[in-house]
């Protein structure tokens, strides 16, 4: 390690005094002007990680659904997964180190993680469309270069595309070609084969309106359009040419406000969907003939995919174990439908994509989605091998055809991470193959009314939870109080959990009516305020 070069470059990317940041599920995320030093140092860390695992590592510059003036960075591990938890700690240490300690901390990380300094390092870089992203990714490159790493800058890509590219590179092309063309060809090829099998593919075009959150999704869908079969026509809105990223639009806005984004006119019963700012979340929605807005969130997406895969697995006649993984935020109706009607096991884990992904890896087929629209499907190596073999060799026509559909699904799904483009094509293919309208999909089950609130507290750490965040352990008396409140309402449940990023406690409640839900949510928020050190005025109904 050239300590003079490190010193010189580090001084060009100084750390603002008194700033401390934490690497969480979303990596680092804050105001863009505070991130220059972090980007430089994550370039350093990516080189160390690459040397430690002898593989290509990804760095994505994005703040996803945050406002345009924010930015962030996250590292991607060799198979396209999120950074290993032990390295999240190193990331935090490196980002918060004073300049004079930088060399020492790098040496410590090398010792702890058995980094071979003489190994080559390779890093793939991607960024979103924020005004600050280009300059910040240049800081990443500075960090990589100081430690002698090789890099490939893919420029503007969706977050899932970068995950995909890293996985392709490290599987020597087994997962696909490590180029954007390779991504478009693999997904569109599988999608076209599925659409060709749909009963109505000949006569009717399928139209879909897409709100791209004024982000990267618009650019990449425009590039991908020529690859789509002619039966599918996509119309892009909020394409970033006029308005600000994520402003009054995007998946997060639609999910939170339960209303359509600005800049998209909906006709009754038209299928519409929204991406988030970096293209890893998707929600669907439509307006019925009375003008009522209907949201189809991640829970209903997981349900549609589960119904479809379960039917195919039954046709193939293999004993492959399938399960759905959710968080405590999943609507109670979805859990009930999956377990009782569809007879698919459901597992609840802590909030955060890495927990869902990790649990889903335990099954032959693991479907996971957060209610916010982030999710995917994982197939075990054994299941994938079996399905591909049946698609080739099975003598029984019906079984072979079902296996072929499953094989195309495996190729269409981005198994590295939730991917709005891939998920959208999966949904469109399933609706076409099953001959379902968006309204029929929506009526599979009826969501229980729910409400999300937050209460400001002096210190969020006073709240500790258990049972996948569904029960509060501390402060004492809080869970007992919530239990009493929940008893008052029909079909109800409520839980509280500390935010991962700010001193607030998040509250979720659901019950049989919206009125009861709002009353329960309010009563729980008062309990949190009084028992967990609320700040400011008490919550108002």
């Amino acid at each position: 390690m050239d300590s003079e070069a490190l010193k010189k470059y580090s001084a060009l990317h100084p750390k603002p005094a008194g700033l401390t940041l934490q690497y969480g599920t979303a990596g680092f995320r804050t105001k863009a002007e505070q991130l220059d030093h972090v980007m430089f140092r994550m370039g350093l860390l990516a080189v160390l990680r690459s040397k430690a695992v002898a593989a290509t590592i990804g760095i994505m510059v994005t703040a996803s659904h945050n406002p345009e003036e924010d930015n962030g960075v996250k590292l991607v591990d060799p198979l396209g997964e999120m950074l290993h938890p032990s390295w999240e700690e190193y990331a935090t240490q490196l980002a918060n180190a004073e300049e004079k300690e930088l060399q020492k901390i790098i040496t410590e990380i090398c010792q702890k993680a058995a980094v071979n300094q003489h190994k080559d390092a390779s890093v793939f870089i991607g960024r979103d469309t924020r005004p600050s992203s280009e300059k910040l990714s240049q800081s990443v490159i500075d960090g990589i270069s100081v430690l002698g790493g090789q890099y490939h800058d893919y420029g503007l890509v969706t977050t899932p595309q970068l995950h995909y590219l890293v996985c392709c590179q490290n599987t020597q092309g087994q997962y696909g070609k490590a180029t954007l063309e390779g991504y478009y060809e693999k997904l569109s090829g599988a999608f076209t084969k599925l659409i060709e099998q749909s009963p109505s593919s000949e006569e009717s075009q399928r139209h879909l309106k897409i709100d791209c959150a004024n982000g990267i999704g618009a650019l990449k869908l425009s590039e991908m359009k020529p690859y789509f079969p002619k039966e599918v026509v996509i119309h892009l809105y909020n394409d970033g040419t006029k308005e600000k990223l994520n402003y009054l639009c995007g998946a997060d806005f639609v999910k939170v406000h339960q209303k359509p984004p600005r800049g998209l006119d909906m006709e009754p019963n038209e299928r519409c969907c929204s991406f988030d700012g970096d293209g890893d979340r998707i929600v669907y929605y439509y307006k019925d003939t009375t003008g009522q807005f209907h949201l189809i969130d991640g829970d209903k997406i997981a349900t549609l995919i589960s119904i479809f895969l379960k039917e195919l697995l039954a046709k193939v006649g293999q004993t492959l174990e399938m399960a759905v993984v959710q968080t405590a935020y999943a609507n109670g109706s979805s859990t009930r439908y999956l377990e009782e009607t569809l007879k698919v096991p459901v597992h609840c884990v802590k909030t955060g994509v890495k927990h869902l992904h990790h649990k889903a890896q335990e099954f032959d087929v693991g479907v996971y989605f957060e209610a916010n629209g982030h999710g995917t499907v994982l197939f075990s190596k054994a299941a994938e091998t079996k399905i591909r073999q049946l698609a080739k060799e099975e003598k029984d026509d019906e079984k072979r055809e079902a296996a072929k559909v499953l094989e195309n699904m495996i190729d269409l799904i981005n198994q590295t991470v939730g991917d709005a483009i891939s998920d959208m094509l999966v949904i469109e293919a399933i609706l076409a193959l099953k001959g379902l309208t968006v309204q029929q999909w929506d009526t599979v089950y009826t969501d229980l009314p729910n409400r999300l609130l937050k209460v400001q507290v002096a210190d969020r750490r006073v709240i500790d939870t258990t049972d996948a965040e569904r029960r509060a352990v501390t402060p004492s008396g809080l869970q007992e109080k919530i239990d009493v409140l929940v008893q008052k309402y029909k079909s109800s449940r409520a839980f509280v959990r500390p935010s991962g990023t700010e001193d607030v406690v998040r509250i979720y409640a659901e019950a049989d009516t919206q009125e009861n839900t709002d009353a329960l949510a309010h009563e729980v928020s008062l309990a949190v305020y009084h028992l967990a050190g609320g700040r400011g005025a008490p919550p108002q109904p």
Side-chain angles (χ1 to χ4, degrees):
M1 180 166 48
D2 182 343
S3 49
E4 282 313 305
L6 181 65
K7 224 188 254 168
K8 187 181 118 187
Y9 272 92
S10 178
L12 297 174
H13 303 283
K15 179 172 99 71
L19 179 71
T20 54
L21 296 168
Q22 176 83 34
Y23 193 103
T25 302
F28 291 112
R29 225 177 257 186
T30 184
K31 293 274 169 276
E33 62 270 15
Q34 299 185 324
L35 280 167
D36 178 54
H37 72 295
V38 173
M39 297 294 173
F40 171 71
R41 293 167 182 204
M42 289 309 100
L44 302 173
L45 190 73
V47 170
L48 300 182
R49 180 71 179 148
S50 174
K51 289 180 179 210
V53 292
T56 296
I57 294 297
I59 287 199
M60 185 69 199
V61 177
T62 181
S64 190
H65 54 274
N66 281 34
E68 188 171 90
E69 47 281 2
D70 290 358
N71 217 320
V73 60
K74 42 190 172 186
L75 272 70
V76 179
D77 254 358
L79 293 179
E81 12 29 347
M82 297 167 83
L83 182 64
H84 192 277
S86 64
W87 280 72
E88 288 183 6
E89 257 173 73
Y90 302 150
T92 301
Q93 283 170 2
L94 205 53
N96 295 326
E98 293 309 325
E99 231 149 294
K100 55 182 188 300
E101 313 172 317
L102 212 50
Q103 175 114 34
K104 178 169 124 296
I105 287 185
I106 290 172
T107 308
E108 278 172 16
I109 293 171
C110 288
Q111 285 165 350
K112 278 188 206 152
V115 176
N116 181 347
Q117 296 262 23
H118 304 294
K119 277 253 178 5
D120 288 339
S122 148
V123 184
F124 282 1
I125 309 162
R127 65 175 192 270
D128 70 10
T129 55
R130 291 164 198 273
S132 59
S133 290
E134 189 168 5
K135 188 170 173 298
L136 289 173
S137 71
Q138 198 47 59
S139 306
V140 169
I141 290 171
D142 281 356
I144 296 167
S145 306
V146 166
L147 291 185
Q150 299 292 311
Y151 66 88
H152 184 104
D153 184 3
Y154 282 92
L156 294 163
V157 288
T158 68
T159 295
Q161 284 176 332
L162 187 76
H163 284 255
Y164 174 92
L165 293 162
V166 169
C167 182
C168 291
Q169 180 69 14
N170 289 315
T171 55
Q172 285 70 49
Q174 270 179 302
Y175 194 65
K177 282 207 301 260
T179 62
L180 280 179
E181 291 69 42
Y183 172 92
Y184 297 142
E185 282 164 5
K186 181 179 175 184
L187 269 63
S188 62
F191 179 64
T192 303
K193 283 182 193 154
L194 288 164
I195 287 290
E196 281 166 359
Q197 301 204 358
S198 72
S200 60
S201 77
E202 302 312 307
E203 64 274 18
S204 64
Q205 282 194 317
R206 303 182 58 82
H207 290 264
L208 175 66
K209 288 183 169 179
I210 307 168
D211 153 35
C212 299
N214 290 310
I216 185 72
L219 288 178
K220 299 296 129 181
L221 281 171
S222 304
E223 285 174 15
M224 197 172 179
K225 250 185 179 174
Y227 294 85
F228 285 156
K230 58 184 184 308
E231 296 89 351
V232 176
V233 186
I234 59 170
H235 308 272
L236 307 183
Y237 296 84
N238 296 321
D239 63 2
T241 50
K242 300 194 224 16
E243 295 285 343
K244 276 176 76 163
L245 177 72
N246 294 328
Y247 180 61
L248 301 180
C249 61
D252 205 54
F253 173 84
V254 173
K255 166 78 177 146
V256 171
H257 297 281
Q258 308 263 333
K259 64 180 189 187
R262 193 163 90 172
L264 187 148
D265 291 324
M266 297 164 71
E267 295 302 315
N269 295 333
E270 272 187 335
R271 262 193 338 283
C272 306
C273 67
S274 283
F275 287 16
D276 72 339
D278 65 336
D280 64 3
R281 292 184 187 185
I282 184 169
V283 294
Y284 268 69
Y285 44 92
Y286 68 98
K287 195 170 72 174
D288 64 25
T289 43
T290 67
Q292 172 85 28
F293 175 81
H294 295 256
L295 174 73
I296 300 179
D297 65 5
D299 298 336
K300 250 184 196 154
I301 293 172
T303 304
L304 177 73
I305 293 172
S306 301
I307 291 169
F308 186 68
L309 292 178
K310 183 157 192 225
E311 284 171 6
L312 285 171
L313 290 168
K315 277 186 191 156
V316 169
Q318 291 295 313
T319 50
L320 294 173
E321 188 190 6
M322 175 172 145
V324 176
V325 186
Q326 297 182 326
T327 71
Y329 286 112
N331 196 281
S333 293
S334 73
T335 314
R336 210 161 292 136
Y337 176 83
L338 287 162
E339 288 183 331
E340 293 169 16
T341 309
L342 205 55
K343 304 275 190 278
V344 170
V346 177
H347 297 267
C348 185
V349 297
K350 277 166 66 171
T351 305
V353 181
K354 60 183 176 191
H355 302 298
L356 290 134
H357 193 90
H358 190 69
K359 186 71 185 172
Q361 287 173 321
E362 294 177 16
F363 309 98
D364 292 318
V365 182
V367 180
Y368 75 81
F369 269 83
E370 290 188 292
N372 64 27
H374 186 287
T376 187
V377 185
L378 304 183
F379 293 85
S380 71
K381 262 284 154 270
E384 186 178 327
T385 307
K386 188 81 202 146
I387 288 162
R388 291 195 191 277
Q389 186 192 350
L390 290 168
K392 246 207 312 273
E393 297 163 10
E394 174 59 54
K395 300 282 184 285
D396 180 287
D397 287 354
E398 196 192 4
K399 280 185 183 178
R400 191 178 61 253
E401 287 313 308
K404 276 186 186 166
V405 174
L406 274 171
E407 182 174 40
N408 288 322
M409 273 286 156
I410 290 171
D411 289 334
L412 183 53
I413 291 162
N414 184 346
Q415 293 186 57
T416 64
V417 70
D419 181 341
I421 294 177
S422 161
D423 290 339
M424 173 188 88
L425 296 175
V426 167
I427 292 161
E428 289 301 308
I430 294 174
L431 294 177
L433 284 162
K434 289 185 69 64
L436 287 174
T437 63
V438 67
Q439 303 84 317
Q440 287 168 320
W441 172 20
D442 187 31
T443 53
V444 167
Y445 62 80
T446 305
D447 274 325
L448 282 168
N450 56 85
R451 177 67 66 213
L452 284 162
L453 294 176
K454 53 186 183 182
V455 176
Q456 296 234 302
V457 291
D459 180 2
R460 65 180 184 269
R461 288 169 302 190
V462 300
I463 299 243
D464 191 22
T465 62
T466 185
D467 187 24
E469 301 179 311
R470 290 177 289 191
R471 297 190 67 77
V473 184
T474 61
S476 72
L478 178 58
Q479 188 57 52
E480 291 73 13
K481 181 74 178 154
I482 294 171
D483 291 341
V484 170
L485 294 170
V486 164
Q487 292 298 309
K488 291 167 56 177
Y489 303 100
K490 218 173 133 198
S491 307
S492 68
R493 69 183 180 102
F495 67 88
V496 302
R497 55 180 286 271
S499 158
T501 48
E502 49 187 335
D503 278 322
V504 299
V505 174
R506 301 193 188 281
I507 289 150
Y508 178 90
E510 61 185 31
D512 58 340
T513 66
Q514 194 62 56
E515 200 181 349
N516 284 346
T517 300
D518 290 345
L520 174 59
H522 176 63
E523 287 171 334
V524 171
S525 70
L526 281 174
V528 168
Y529 179 84
H530 291 301
L531 293 169
R535 287 174 69 168
Q540 296 303 309

